[in-house]
Amino acid sequence: MDFDDLLRRYFATSAIADIQPGALEAGIERMQVDFGLEQDRGKRFALWSLLHLLGAAPVLEASFEKEADREAARNLMDMLAASESFDG
């Protein structure tokens, strides 16, 4: 799943800054439903990652059965946090 494709699918735009508040809420809700139904590990991770960026991701323990997937999510969160502190 490509980031731009996810944005277009759930928010009808490829620019995150252009998402309207109502569209944001509706898109997040659809993503959460799709995340709960998705069986493919890679697609689940992509959905979770975007939900995390939007502040709407479920907790790791409820999101991923495999420890490797939880660890990958932790690594993503650490990288994002490091980039925020670097941008200062």
Side-chain angles (χ1 to χ4, degrees):
M1 294 185 128
D2 180 89
F3 183 72
D4 289 339
D5 292 339
L6 286 173
L7 288 177
R8 279 191 286 278
R9 178 177 181 173
Y10 292 103
F11 305 107
T13 182
S14 61
I16 205 162
D18 293 340
I19 301 171
Q20 299 300 311
L24 181 64
E25 293 169 8
I28 286 172
E29 186 176 321
R30 287 183 31 232
M31 285 179 65
Q32 290 170 330
V33 169
D34 288 351
F35 177 79
L37 297 172
E38 185 59 61
Q39 298 296 311
D40 181 88
R41 287 174 60 201
K43 290 179 182 179
R44 280 182 62 80
F45 190 83
L47 288 168
W48 183 91
S49 297
L50 183 51
L51 285 167
H52 176 72
L53 288 171
L54 297 171
V59 297
L60 291 179
E61 291 73 22
S63 299
F64 302 109
E65 289 182 20
K66 297 186 180 284
E67 178 57 33
D69 295 338
R70 290 191 296 270
E71 186 61 26
R74 285 186 202 100
N75 289 339
L76 174 66
M77 290 187 298
D78 290 346
M79 286 189 291
L80 290 171
S83 71
E84 288 174 4
S85 64
F86 181 73
D87 290 338

